[in-house]
Amino acid sequence: MDISTDLAAPADAESQVIAALHHLGKLTPGELARARRLAEDGGDALLPLVLRLGLVAERELARVMAEVLALPLVEASEFPPEAVPEDGVSVRFLKDARALPLALTADTLTVALANPLDQFVPAALALATGKTITLAVGLPSDIEAALVRLYEPSPEPPPASEAEFGDFAEEDIEHLKDLASEAPVIRMVNQLIQKAVEVRASDIHIEPFADVLKVRYRVDGLLKEVEAPPVRSTAAIISRIKIMAKLNIAERRLPQDGRIPLRMQGRELDLRISTVPTMFGESVVMRLLDKESVRFDLDALGFDGAPRERLRQVLEQPYGIVLVTGPTGSGKSTTLYTALSRLNTEAHKIITVEDPVEYQLPGINQIQVKAAIGMTFAGALRAIVRQDPDIIMVGEMRDLETARIAVQSALTGHVVLSTLHTNDAASGVTRLLEMGVEDYLLTSTINGIVAQRLVRRLCPHCRQAYRALPELAERFAHTAGVSGAVDLHRAVGCALCNDSGYRGRLVITEVLLMTDQIRKAVLAHATATEIRRLAVVEGMETMYQDGLRKALDGRTTIEEVLRVAAAD
């Protein structure tokens, strides 16, 4: 009985791993010093603590440990489909050690370890089994999920009763708190968030059903289901998230909203939490806001060409209203923040009213709406016009009162930026008319309306060029003014884009300017279609045309453009 891999001394191997992480820029000296101090205070191993603190991604740490120790790195797809039987080792030990048996022969047991630097685990396995232990490295989250899947078959969940979703007794609340504070539950929640960060997800959806707990990540605008924790852990996981967000875990009949400031993989994250009651428990959506990676830059967002020039022209007006329209999740708030960043100078006082405040901008006074205490958009707006601002940003024009105060603010010399939920730029005017804002006030105050959608950006490493069919080339000739053969790109997929063929998103947009002709149409109560036709005649590039131009440039695909924008 022995361990086949000749490991370096633990201290030497640990030093080599830390040096490699530092060389790759994954671990700064300051972060390492803080981790060492905490490890000494708590008596913990250093590298597992670095992982728990979120200073290094688990995949990055596993890869470096595998290289330093000359061990194979085993992916979850390579794990055995069934449990490897070994009577000498308890499941409890495997869980505590985060060790997964991979293969068994007459003389050898191959095991994937989350921490191969811990020499106690292979030594104990060799002693318990009497076999030679061959080591591999696995991701901690993959190993834990596999141990649950292979060694803990889920029992049938009991039928849900009406009382289950009502009030809790005091002892039930305490039991939930205890469950949510256990290390396995904390690890499961942390791993859900960490994996979401690794795949660049913008939202995490946790949805309980009768016999399964579903977890889905929204990546580049599309939802994708991922491996979820066992259904029996549903209550504990949701309670853990609610505790982190400082929500009431005893209230499961009403929706709740909260936030979790978090440091993960060396990055500052802000998680917005929304819970709603469903038939089988609470559905939780966690929106991930990465404060460090977001770039408030028009070029980075995808604004270019005529729409960018039109937007710049609108933002340079000394007063008036600029509206950004589009459905939920179309990037309206990011466009507003980008516009504010351009306008944010020493000469301007800027105040925003938002629900919620998504990103904190230096030098800008940001107000959080609190409807429960009467701090509404309209109430906050009435107060801030007395604060002598130059520029006001209203998160959303939801009602007539808010819209009227915004119009009055624009009439008194303020620049007002806000959002509306409409399908295109021309519909923004008709939407405000339907809300009850007078037509002559709209024509006097609105400078421009931006409509936008988000399309997935092609991965530059694996995109593939192809010659478009003649019918499609004819459409480009008609709409985008491109004659002759048309070369487009298709999504392929590679390791850098998680085999999706896309990496990130960009804006396709149209910018309507309030010209004299359009003012006359608004006063005549023209339809949105008539206003749109006039705007196109006066030089507005539609979202569809902007999308075609970006497809020609190889930045996205024609399929993406047609997914979010109607053909002209």
Side-chain angles (χ1 to χ4, degrees):
M1 86 190 147
D2 66 273
I3 304 168
S4 67
T5 307
D6 183 19
L7 295 177
D12 293 343
E14 183 181 270
S15 299
Q16 291 176 45
V17 171
I18 290 170
L21 291 171
H22 177 65
H23 176 72
L24 293 169
K26 304 296 182 183
L27 190 64
T28 67
E31 291 171 338
L32 177 59
R34 180 164 70 95
R36 282 194 193 280
R37 187 168 61 253
L38 291 171
E40 289 169 2
D41 293 344
D44 297 318
L46 179 59
L47 287 174
L49 181 62
V50 164
L51 192 61
R52 286 206 306 276
L53 291 172
L55 302 178
V56 178
E58 63 173 12
R59 180 172 295 278
E60 195 64 45
L61 180 59
R63 186 180 64 79
V64 170
M65 286 195 296
E67 288 180 2
V68 168
L69 299 174
L71 296 175
L73 177 60
V74 184
E75 299 288 346
S77 59
E78 302 173 68
F79 289 171
E82 297 179 354
V84 174
E86 181 45 66
D87 296 335
V89 183
S90 70
V91 175
R92 177 69 179 270
F93 175 81
L94 294 176
K95 284 187 165 185
D96 291 343
R98 288 199 274 186
L100 178 70
L102 299 177
L104 180 67
T105 67
D107 305 314
T108 305
L109 175 65
T110 304
V111 182
L113 295 181
N115 181 19
L117 296 178
D118 184 355
Q119 291 194 319
F120 166 76
V121 175
L125 287 170
L127 185 65
T129 62
K131 299 183 185 299
T132 299
I133 306 300
T134 302
L135 300 184
V137 182
L139 270 63
S141 58
D142 290 345
I143 290 175
E144 289 176 355
L147 287 171
V148 170
R149 174 172 57 85
L150 297 176
Y151 294 90
E152 285 190 18
S154 299
E156 269 310 302
S161 64
E162 186 67 32
E164 184 179 348
F165 305 111
D167 292 323
F168 281 113
E170 190 65 34
E171 58 269 22
D172 294 331
I173 298 171
E174 292 306 315
H175 178 60
L176 268 182
K177 287 181 178 177
D178 291 342
L179 278 177
S181 302
E182 290 179 356
V185 174
I186 293 173
R187 276 203 303 271
M188 276 191 280
V189 172
N190 288 345
Q191 284 156 11
L192 285 177
I193 299 171
Q194 182 170 314
K195 284 196 170 183
V197 172
E198 288 177 358
V199 299
R200 302 174 294 102
S202 60
D203 301 87
I204 305 171
H205 292 246
I206 301 172
E207 303 161 317
F209 293 95
D211 53 359
V212 69
L213 176 65
K214 280 192 175 184
V215 176
R216 296 190 287 175
Y217 292 158
R218 188 178 295 280
V219 182
D220 294 336
L222 297 182
L223 282 171
K224 181 180 180 182
E225 190 167 346
V226 297
E227 187 173 357
V231 66
R232 65 178 173 277
S233 62
T234 298
I237 285 173
I238 292 174
S239 297
R240 172 63 187 165
I241 293 169
K242 291 174 74 173
I243 288 171
M244 292 171 71
K246 296 181 172 56
L247 300 179
N248 181 3
I249 67 169
E251 180 56 77
R252 298 207 297 179
R253 299 164 301 173
L254 295 173
Q256 296 187 67
D257 295 303
R259 63 185 289 267
I260 305 171
L262 194 66
R263 185 172 177 82
M264 182 72 67
Q265 298 180 14
R267 292 149 69 178
E268 294 292 337
L269 299 176
D270 197 7
L271 275 63
R272 298 305 161 96
I273 312 301
S274 171
T275 71
V276 294
T278 68
M279 285 290 292
F280 301 104
E282 288 177 288
S283 172
V284 178
V285 175
M286 308 167 71
R287 169 155 288 189
L288 281 69
L289 302 173
D290 189 341
K291 297 180 179 179
E292 296 178 8
S293 69
V294 67
R295 293 173 58 195
F296 298 125
D297 178 76
L298 291 177
D299 294 328
L301 294 180
F303 283 90
D304 57 13
R308 188 184 192 284
E309 182 57 30
R310 283 177 153 237
L311 179 57
R312 185 195 60 77
Q313 181 182 337
V314 167
L315 293 176
E316 286 178 355
Q317 299 297 317
Y319 56 86
I321 297 175
V322 181
L323 293 174
V324 182
T325 72
T328 302
S330 60
K332 299 187 299 295
S333 296
T334 305
T335 298
L336 282 184
Y337 280 123
T338 305
L340 286 179
S341 298
R342 287 176 61 91
L343 299 170
N344 187 15
T345 65
E346 187 179 339
H348 293 140
K349 173 159 183 171
I350 303 176
I351 303 181
T352 74
V353 187
E354 305 171 59
D355 183 23
V357 175
E358 293 191 6
Y359 295 102
Q360 296 173 15
L361 302 177
I364 293 178
N365 300 278
Q366 295 174 267
I367 299 171
Q368 168 75 54
V369 168
K370 294 186 177 73
I373 60 171
M375 175 68 90
T376 61
F377 278 114
L381 260 179
R382 279 194 297 270
I384 66 177
V385 291
R386 296 191 291 272
Q387 287 276 310
D388 188 30
D390 298 293
I391 299 165
I392 300 169
M393 193 267 270
V394 185
E396 184 183 342
M397 286 196 187
R398 294 180 178 173
D399 52 53
L400 176 59
E401 186 180 8
T402 304
R404 278 192 169 147
I405 298 171
V407 166
Q408 292 298 328
S409 301
L411 284 171
T412 53
H414 301 90
V415 173
V416 180
L417 292 84
S418 189
T419 69
L420 270 178
H421 286 275
T422 62
N423 289 327
D424 57 19
S427 300
V429 176
T430 54
R431 175 77 182 98
L432 289 172
L433 288 172
E434 289 164 2
M435 285 171 64
V437 181
E438 291 79 1
D439 50 13
Y440 62 89
L441 291 178
L442 290 183
T443 57
S444 304
T445 55
I446 291 180
N447 292 332
I449 303 177
V450 181
Q452 65 180 59
R453 298 288 189 279
L454 292 175
V455 294
R456 291 183 292 171
R457 192 189 298 264
L458 274 169
C459 174
H461 302 282
C462 63
R463 65 181 182 178
Q464 186 178 81
Y466 69 96
R467 181 61 52 87
L469 293 172
E471 296 84 356
L472 189 55
E474 186 177 336
R475 180 184 295 181
F476 273 87
H478 174 70
T479 307
V482 178
S483 58
V486 171
D487 290 324
L488 298 173
H489 290 77
R490 62 167 61 94
V492 177
C494 65
L496 293 172
C497 60
N498 293 319
D499 293 318
S500 69
Y502 299 94
R503 186 173 177 84
R505 290 188 288 177
L506 76 157
V507 161
I508 61 171
T509 184
E510 61 188 28
V511 182
L512 182 148
L513 301 180
M514 187 61 74
T515 63
D516 290 339
Q517 290 299 317
I518 291 178
R519 285 190 180 93
K520 289 178 183 177
V522 173
L523 291 171
H525 286 217
T527 64
T529 303
E530 293 168 339
I531 293 172
R532 177 184 175 83
R533 182 183 55 77
L534 266 177
V536 170
V537 169
E538 295 192 336
M540 183 182 81
E541 188 178 88
T542 67
M543 277 188 288
Y544 180 64
Q545 290 170 329
D546 190 34
L548 292 186
R549 183 164 52 80
K550 283 163 181 169
L552 280 171
D553 292 344
R555 285 180 281 172
T556 188
T557 61
I558 185 66
E559 292 82 6
E560 273 296 292
V561 176
L562 292 171
R563 181 176 67 86
V564 300
D568 293 339

